[in-house]
Amino acid sequence: MALQESLNKFKQQQEKCQSTLTSIANRGSRVLQSQKPALVSTSSAPTRASAPVKFSNDTERLQHINSIRKSPVGAQIKRVIDLLLETRQAFTPEQINELCYVDILGNKAVFDSLRNNHKVNYDGRYFSYKSKHDLKGKDQLLSLIRKFPEGLAVVDLKDAYPSVMDDLQALKAAGQVWLLSNNDSQEDIVYPNDPKVVIKVDDDLKQLFRGIELPRDMVDIEKELQKNGMKPATNTAKRRAAAHVLGIPSKPKPKKKKGISTRTKLTNAHLPELFNNLNVPDS
């Protein structure tokens, strides 16, 4: 009997739930019927039955958007700047919201920080990327480099336009610029390769250059160049090994010039000032 009573109660609960669902469905259909005249088109063309509403189940995407909008202001600004840098186009706040999910208009701190950022240009409607040097191509790049005979940091040129680094390498290959690395700051510096340009060198740098003592053996010089990441134009060790195999004698070391001593025969008696410091014994 207890089991039968439980089954009866379960059936009653099911019937009650079914009745509730039916009433909800009927209520929804009545609402749709009441709203139907407002949705009917005034056109004489026959209207198609409206498709059932489908709710998105893209939970991960919505969570991603929510995490972006709750992220720190700096992180949101970086997303916008990266978008402007990669596309090099101008966007409205609404377009930026669609492309990278940063709601500029809904976050005053993001809007103010982005508007005052030195990498961003804002004209009152559109946001766009602003590089340090406004260049459009290789010719303008070369003209700018020639204005800096003492060198221009490559890091200040990287964001000028998308292909600027390719143009920089092309100028280097054509011999129009020098591209050197700064070992202290680990930054590349570009210099104009123009003989007409007068380059001013500090006295401290001149003194430092002249104070460097180079190894006497060319092999040691080549090793030092390789140690600093440079490729020597010569290979003395290989050349000496080949000469040894072929039996070519190495160049004799230059003999030191002998100074004038007391044993030197004084034949230039008409130039006595050369021998003032010598004590030559009388013959």
Side-chain angles (χ1 to χ4, degrees):
M1 290 294 292
L3 179 60
Q4 187 64 36
E5 290 178 1
S6 299
L7 290 174
N8 291 335
K9 288 181 179 180
F10 179 71
K11 288 180 180 179
Q12 290 175 0
Q13 290 176 353
Q14 280 189 326
E15 291 173 357
K16 187 177 180 180
C17 290
Q18 187 65 34
S19 176
T20 303
L21 291 174
T22 303
S23 64
I24 292 173
N26 292 335
R27 193 183 310 152
S29 84
R30 287 196 299 271
V31 171
L32 291 175
Q33 290 295 332
S34 63
Q35 296 176 349
K36 188 174 181 181
L39 299 175
V40 174
S41 174
T42 57
S43 147
S44 60
T47 59
R48 294 181 297 176
S50 60
V53 179
K54 293 183 179 180
F55 294 95
S56 173
N57 195 28
D58 193 1
T59 307
E60 292 184 1
R61 175 175 171 274
L62 296 176
Q63 289 178 344
H64 178 60
I65 295 175
N66 185 55
S67 65
I68 290 174
R69 293 179 178 175
K70 288 186 176 181
S71 63
V73 173
Q76 296 188 53
I77 291 175
K78 184 180 184 303
R79 286 184 64 86
V80 176
I81 293 178
D82 289 344
L83 171 68
L84 300 177
L85 173 62
E86 292 172 4
T87 60
R88 299 303 176 107
Q89 297 180 17
F91 297 110
T92 63
E94 294 82 4
Q95 291 172 331
I96 291 174
N97 190 11
E98 293 177 1
L99 293 170
C100 66
Y101 310 123
V102 177
D103 187 9
I104 298 175
L105 297 179
N107 192 326
K108 187 177 184 301
V110 173
F111 179 83
D112 292 340
S113 298
L114 196 61
R115 183 183 59 181
N116 298 322
N117 193 287
H118 69 282
K119 289 288 186 182
V120 178
N121 181 50
Y122 179 62
D123 61 0
R125 177 57 179 160
Y126 292 92
F127 289 92
S128 59
Y129 188 80
K130 182 171 65 175
S131 57
K132 184 171 183 178
H133 299 287
D134 186 17
L135 306 175
K136 303 302 182 184
K138 185 164 61 175
D139 293 339
Q140 292 185 6
L141 175 63
L142 181 59
S143 298
L144 177 67
I145 294 173
R146 285 176 173 171
K147 293 178 182 178
F148 293 86
E150 297 180 5
L152 182 62
V154 175
V155 69
D156 293 336
L157 299 172
K158 285 184 176 180
D159 62 348
Y161 56 92
S163 60
V164 64
M165 296 306 296
D166 295 334
D167 289 344
L168 195 59
Q169 292 296 333
L171 292 175
K172 176 186 175 183
Q176 294 178 293
V177 300
W178 295 103
L179 191 57
L180 305 177
S181 296
N182 188 332
N183 293 329
D184 295 334
S185 60
Q186 300 299 320
E187 292 181 357
D188 291 339
I189 308 294
V190 60
Y191 299 87
N193 185 14
D194 188 354
K196 299 178 183 178
V197 175
V198 179
I199 300 177
K200 181 181 178 182
V201 181
D202 295 337
D203 293 336
D204 294 340
L205 184 60
K206 293 179 182 178
Q207 186 176 357
L208 180 63
F209 176 79
R210 293 166 182 165
I212 297 175
E213 184 177 354
L214 296 177
R216 295 183 179 276
D217 196 331
M218 194 63 188
V219 175
D220 296 331
I221 295 178
E222 292 168 357
K223 288 180 180 179
E224 289 295 327
L225 291 174
Q226 293 173 349
K227 189 186 299 183
N228 288 277
M230 291 177 279
K231 185 179 179 181
T234 58
N235 191 334
T236 305
K238 183 178 180 180
R239 178 174 55 79
R240 289 179 181 176
H244 179 73
V245 172
L246 297 175
I248 300 175
S250 59
K251 293 182 179 180
K253 295 182 179 180
K255 295 182 179 180
K256 293 182 179 180
K257 294 182 179 180
K258 293 182 179 181
I260 301 175
S261 64
T262 55
R263 298 181 181 180
T264 304
K265 187 175 181 181
L266 303 181
T267 57
N268 296 329
H270 61 287
L271 297 174
E273 64 273 9
L274 295 179
F275 314 105
N276 290 334
N277 296 330
L278 294 179
N279 295 322
V280 181
D282 298 333
S283 54

